[in-house]
Amino acid sequence: MARTVAIGLQDFEKIIKNDCFYVDKTAFIKEWWEAGDDVTLIARPRRFGKTLNLSMLDYFFSLEHEGRADLFEGLYIWEDKIYQALQVSYPVISVSFDRIKEAVYDAARDKICEILRDIYVKYRLIRESDALADADRDFFDRILADKIRDSDVTSALHQLSSFLYRYYGKKVIILLDEYDTPMHEAFVHGYWKEMVMLIRSMFNSTFKTNPYLEKAVMTGITRVSKESIFSDLNNLRL
């Protein structure tokens, strides 16, 4: 029986479990892992499979998917015993900016806060861990609150990396999909300067001055100049 060609399906697990037609891209896991870069930017046109590749990385590396070796059995990456041992071996923070399409800066900032809040809710159980101090829990609670300071917004992923590192004893992998969506909206609607300042500070904290980061991937459809949000990221491979 012919396999279904799942148009628009971007979840790796659903494609594999539903036996949909899939071009094996798991060689990318090995290529990316062995490249030795701290942060990799993948800028490609829409419908190029970027989100699906990040989903694949998440299912492969994230400790949350323990027991899901079945998703990779029979694929290229599973032929290598070294990579079999790497599966589900890291805490992974997976973020998407695809929903940030607001016409004014305050609404865009609120949407970023909402996305960060959802990530912290996902990891809420570690709030009570002995690995966190009272000041860490205070920070956790500020992210979960309705209003978040700019300094909390820009350091939220850095701080969560620290919390996960102390909880699991391993550095984190960060996957950021559609990094440039808020920048496109800011340019179109006239709040570019405010958004650049916020995103640049967030990226510096998350990807540059983050000792808890193992590796990261960012995807988008454009390469914003290094003079803007990437000005501090000399550890970034385009």
Side-chain angles (χ1 to χ4, degrees):
M1 182 180 295
R3 292 183 175 182
T4 300
V5 178
I7 298 176
L9 187 57
Q10 298 175 320
D11 183 273
F12 180 76
E13 180 189 30
K14 288 183 179 179
I15 286 179
I16 299 301
K17 297 307 292 182
N18 293 335
D19 199 28
C20 298
F21 180 79
Y22 175 67
V23 176
D24 188 349
K25 296 183 179 181
T26 58
F28 172 70
I29 297 171
K30 184 175 183 178
E31 178 185 347
W32 171 66
W33 193 254
E34 295 180 1
D37 304 297
D38 290 336
V39 184
T40 303
L41 170 62
I42 301 174
R44 297 290 187 275
R46 295 191 184 280
R47 319 313 307 169
F48 205 83
K50 300 183 299 296
T51 299
L52 177 57
N53 276 348
L54 288 195
S55 177
M56 175 185 70
L57 290 177
D58 184 27
Y59 277 104
F60 187 81
F61 284 104
S62 178
L63 289 162
E64 295 179 49
H65 302 303
E66 186 176 0
R68 300 313 315 273
D70 60 302
L71 297 177
F72 296 93
E73 291 172 355
L75 297 177
Y76 168 84
I77 197 66
W78 213 246
E79 298 173 5
D80 193 322
K81 297 293 185 181
I82 293 175
Y83 282 87
Q84 288 187 24
L86 269 177
Q87 205 232 350
V88 296
S89 57
Y90 284 89
V92 174
I93 301 174
S94 185
V95 190
S96 176
F97 281 171
D98 66 331
R99 295 189 292 118
I100 306 173
K101 298 180 179 179
E102 274 59 41
V104 296
Y105 172 73
D106 286 345
R109 183 190 180 281
D110 286 346
K111 186 61 68 68
I112 291 172
C113 291
E114 177 184 310
I115 290 169
L116 294 173
R117 190 177 301 116
D118 289 345
I119 297 169
Y120 270 67
V121 167
K122 177 181 177 180
Y123 291 108
R124 197 165 191 166
L125 286 177
I126 72 172
R127 181 192 178 281
E128 305 306 322
S129 168
D130 292 338
L132 272 62
D134 289 341
D136 300 324
R137 296 187 184 92
D138 290 342
F139 185 93
F140 215 108
D141 292 341
R142 290 202 302 274
I143 300 298
L144 295 176
D146 291 335
K147 295 296 182 181
I148 309 174
R149 304 179 309 204
D150 276 1
S151 60
D152 294 336
V153 173
T154 58
S155 62
L157 296 178
H158 177 112
Q159 289 296 101
L160 184 57
S161 301
S162 170
F163 300 159
L164 291 170
Y165 174 76
R166 281 180 275 162
Y167 185 79
Y168 288 110
K170 301 201 71 172
K171 292 185 177 183
V172 305
I173 292 172
I174 299 178
L175 308 174
L176 174 56
D177 196 23
E178 298 202 31
Y179 83 91
D180 52 350
T181 297
M183 307 309 303
H184 283 295
E185 299 301 318
F187 180 78
V188 169
H189 296 290
Y191 56 89
W192 173 265
K193 184 178 294 186
E194 297 95 324
M195 184 57 70
V196 164
M197 290 180 64
L198 185 73
I199 295 296
R200 179 193 292 151
S201 182
M202 175 184 286
F203 284 5
N204 181 71
S205 174
T206 302
F207 300 115
K208 176 63 176 178
T209 58
N210 188 351
Y212 315 105
L213 177 68
E214 181 67 36
K215 290 174 76 71
V217 179
M218 306 166 66
T219 71
I221 63 172
T222 56
R223 295 187 182 187
V224 177
S225 70
K226 279 198 173 246
E227 286 70 35
S228 56
I229 60 175
F230 295 144
S231 59
D232 296 327
L233 299 186
N234 56 16
N235 60 334
L236 172 70
R237 179 170 71 95
L238 300 174

